[in-house]
């Protein structure tokens, strides 16, 4: 691929930008590149960086860039955004989760990586990569495995127990044989036990059941982004119940008895489903309740902090137009749902403002302890993006959780 960089090295501007990026925490705006030249330029400028993030304005454009960039980098990955409006609807099945988890795995492994995503994917709060990585299950030939404990662990990681594994995200345990179909793998693992000792590990074909490869060790990655212990689940449900009761009382004082009843019914059904009926929390989409379970959240952009990372914005003006529309639709939708008793106030706090994400990308980090000084605007690609308190001089010093939209 060195031949691809030769024409770029002849451009004086290219070498100038390379030198600028090498200094760290530098930014540059490029204009005049045709679509066919953009990815070529990105490939050249990103040389030497272990992690590269390419951000564009919508999902269709992200898929186009992903397909085209494979010419330069076969290991490039697409990181899809969650639906910010329909957080509670699982309209993609587990395909969207599978694609996101694959990216998490590559990030956790620490291998060089190029990720293409949309700006709104960075606006959705998520569990930090460090917290998620702690739940990876490693098993080798010297491991001691207790079947009941392993089943409980896998269920907590979002895996579904079944009689025979058929698709990613499932596991089965029968007669000393443990089959696990890792969500990020093409073939499942079979672990044969002798008591609590691991006798053999191998991958196998899910249709023929024939062995493919003998393995010395395997790592099973979580099949969900939201991983909760019994204590965390219980504490989160108590917060939901407390706020639901308070919100119902508020709505009744406003003579909105139907809306108050709706809040109470939804809260009661959620609590009964997760506690009395014993349904796994992974069987329910709890993304919109994430603030109740995790007091500290981060952005996907946090994974690209540091001098080894480089971030590219594809058509910043179109990104801003799209993000403005997303934020407006989000505010209006959440306000209407809260007014009608479909959601709790805490479920409205599930989106980072674009200004916060832009500032985090500029500074190179976004996490729960990050402080931002909001002076009313942020300059992005030569344009001033203003916040709602621009005329008042901004919001001042803010922690990350204080920047979440309400």
């Amino acid at each position: 691929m060195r031949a691809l960089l030769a024409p770029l090295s002849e451009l004086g501007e290219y070498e100038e930008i390379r030198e600028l990026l090498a200094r760290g925490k530098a930014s540059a705006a490029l204009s005049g590149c045709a679509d066919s030249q953009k990815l070529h330029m990105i490939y050249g400028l990103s040389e030497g960086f272990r992690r590269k993030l390419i951000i564009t304005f919508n999902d269709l454009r992200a898929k186009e860039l992903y397909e085209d960039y494979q010419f330069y980098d076969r290991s490039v990955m697409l990181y899809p955004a969650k639906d910010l409006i329909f957080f509670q609807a699982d309209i993609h099945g587990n395909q969207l989760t599978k694609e996101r988890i694959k990216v998490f795995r590559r990030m956790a492994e620490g291998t060089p990586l190029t990720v293409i995503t949309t700006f709104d994917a960075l606006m959705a709060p998520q569990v930090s990569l460090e917290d998620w990585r702690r739940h990876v299950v490693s098993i080798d030939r010297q491991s001691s495995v207790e079947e009941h404990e392993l089943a409980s662990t896998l269920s907590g990681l979002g895996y579904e127990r079944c009689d025979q594994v058929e698709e990613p995200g499932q596991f089965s345990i029968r007669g000393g044989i443990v089959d696990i179909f890792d969500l990020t793998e093409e073939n499942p693992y079979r672990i044969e036990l002798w008591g609590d000792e691991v006798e053999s590990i191998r991958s196998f074909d899910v249709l023929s059941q024939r062995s493919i490869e003998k393995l010395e060790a395997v790592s099973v990655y979580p099949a969900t982004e939201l991983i909760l212990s019994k204590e965390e689940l219980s504490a989160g449900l108590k917060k939901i119940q407390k706020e639901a009761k308070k919100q119902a009382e508020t709505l009744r004082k406003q003579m909105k008895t139907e809306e108050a009843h709706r809040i109470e019914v939804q809260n009661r059904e959620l609590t009964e489903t997760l506690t009395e009926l014993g349904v796994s929390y992974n069987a329910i989409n709890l993304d919109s309740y994430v603030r109740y379970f995790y007091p500290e959240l981060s952005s996907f952009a946090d994974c690209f902090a540091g001098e080894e990372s480089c971030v590219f914005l594809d058509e910043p003006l179109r990104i801003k137009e799209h993000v403005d529309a997303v934020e407006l639709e989000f505010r209006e939708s959440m306000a209407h749902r809260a007014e009608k008793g479909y959601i709790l106030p805490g479920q409205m706090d599930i989106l980072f403002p674009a200004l916060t994400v832009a500032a985090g990308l500029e500074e190179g980090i976004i996490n729960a302890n990050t402080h931002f000084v909001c002076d009313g605007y942020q300059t992005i690609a030569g344009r001033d993006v203003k916040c709602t308190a621009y005329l008042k001089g901004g919001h001042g010093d803010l922690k990350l959780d204080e920047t979440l939209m309400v």
Side-chain angles (χ1 to χ4, degrees), residues 119-120 123 318-328 354:
F119 198 93
D120 44 327
M123 297 168 65
R318 295 191 66 177
I319 289 177
K320 182 181 181 304
E321 291 175 0
H322 178 74
V323 168
D324 287 345
V326 167
E327 287 188 323
L328 178 60

Side-chain angles (χ1 to χ4, degrees), residues 139-140 145 150 176-180 189-193 197-202 204 218 220:
I139 301 175
D140 57 36
V145 176
L150 179 61
I177 298 177
V178 179
D179 291 344
I180 306 173
Y189 302 126
R190 173 160 293 167
I191 303 170
E192 296 183 352
L193 304 176
E197 296 180 0
V198 175
E199 189 172 61
S200 67
I201 306 174
R202 55 192 171 91
F204 68 95
V218 293
V220 180

Side-chain angles (χ1 to χ4, degrees), residues 5 39 114 158 167 211-212 247 257 280 287-288 327 384 388:
L5 299 179
L39 296 181
T114 300
E167 57 186 34
S211 298
I212 297 176
Q247 183 67 1
T257 56
S280 171
D287 284 340
S288 66
E327 287 188 323
D384 291 341
T388 56

Side-chain angles (χ1 to χ4, degrees), residues 266-282:
Q266 288 186 171
N267 173 61
R268 184 167 59 250
E269 290 179 348
L270 176 66
T271 302
E272 290 177 353
T273 301
L274 292 175
T275 56
E276 298 178 17
L277 298 182
V279 176
S280 171
Y281 69 86
N282 290 301

Side-chain angles (χ1 to χ4, degrees), residues 101 104 128-135 221-222 224 227:
I101 294 296
F104 287 165
S128 70
L129 182 63
E130 289 72 21
D131 286 340
W132 185 85
R133 181 163 41 194
R134 288 190 297 104
H135 295 282
Y221 289 81
T224 180
I227 306 171

Side-chain angles (χ1 to χ4, degrees), residues 28 38-39 41-42 85 93 108 131 145 175 179 191 200 205 225 229 237 241 245 261 264 286-287 314 374 402:
K38 284 181 180 179
L39 296 181
M41 182 64 73
I42 289 174
I85 304 301
D131 286 340
V145 176
D179 291 344
I191 303 170
S200 67
D205 182 86
E225 296 178 45
S229 65
L237 285 175
Q241 293 167 354
K245 181 179 179 180
H261 178 67
E264 292 172 334
L286 294 177
D287 284 340
D314 171 47
C374 172
E402 294 172 326

